[in-house]
Amino acid sequence: MVQVCLNGRRTAADGAAVPMSPQDLARSAAEAVAAGATSVHVHPKTPCGHDSLSPRVLAPALEAIRARVPVPVGVTTGAWAEPDPSARLARVRSWSVLPDFASVNWHEPGAEEVAGHLLSVGVDVEAGIWSGTGGARRFAVSPLGPRVLRVLAEVTDPDPATAEASARELLAELGSAHGRPVLLHGEEGGTWPVLRLAGRLGLATRIGLEDTLLLPDGRRAVSNARLVAKARARYGADACAGDGNSGAEQGS
């Protein structure tokens, strides 16, 4: 599985390649799926380019993307889009058009309540566990852990020299992860080293302009589709190479 993360918290200042409007998100998603992406993660944006959990922003983005792709489409519930936990839960409860799945960051206040509501209305949950936070500890004791779709192991270390070690540390912190599948990914300079590790460990991964603006050779990525194509090639090669520690860590 290679998920495409279309835009993340980036803005128009990050370049024209980053899709913002529902129409651009749909086009970018279709191109990425054609390049091999098996699911889509998106941050719906206001006309000003801010992440939003408003149903009036979410619905047009989901409808536009679903009109173009046959794969599951998920959204963020990140606290930066609505910092107050009660207000964030109210926003999520107000959704009229539901995503197939949503990522919930377990280190954020109110995560359990948001995840619980999503599960109650049939929306799958990706448990976002960020390195360098208490997310793994909280998730380990969460009664919702066995019910999530998968664990999104997010390596926030942007240093290509240390990101792989940070990823292995995060996997160790996750332990059994309630027996749920793990999607491992990095960001910025750590994106490609962590993706290669995911390939060696046989874990799902993701790629897209949310995580990096650069191809493995350092050139600027012109699209999400280009990143997906490069990721599938790298992931496949590293999956064939394997990893001597994969047996223990795949159970993480």
Side-chain angles (χ1 to χ4, degrees), residues 135-239:
R137 292 191 300 275
R138 294 180 184 179
F139 183 71
V141 298
S142 172
L144 300 180
R147 299 174 58 194
V148 305
L149 175 67
R150 58 180 159 258
V151 173
L152 193 64
E154 307 201 38
V155 181
T156 59
D157 181 354
D159 188 339
T162 58
E164 179 177 326
S166 296
R168 291 184 181 276
E169 182 178 347
L170 177 58
L171 291 174
E173 289 177 6
L174 280 168
S176 68
H178 292 286
R180 306 312 302 144
V182 174
L183 186 159
L184 176 67
H185 78 95
E187 63 180 35
E188 304 303 351
T191 299
W192 294 104
V194 174
L195 183 141
R196 290 193 291 270
L197 177 63
R200 295 198 301 275
L201 298 180
L203 299 175
T205 193
R206 81 176 199 185
I207 193 70
L209 292 166
E210 171 173 352
D211 291 340
T212 183
L213 299 173
L214 303 177
L215 297 171
D217 62 6
R219 288 181 298 153
R220 187 89 170 190
V222 297
S223 67
N224 279 302
R226 185 65 172 157
L227 286 169
V228 169
K230 286 291 186 181
R232 284 181 59 85
R234 289 290 177 108
Y235 181 89
D238 288 313

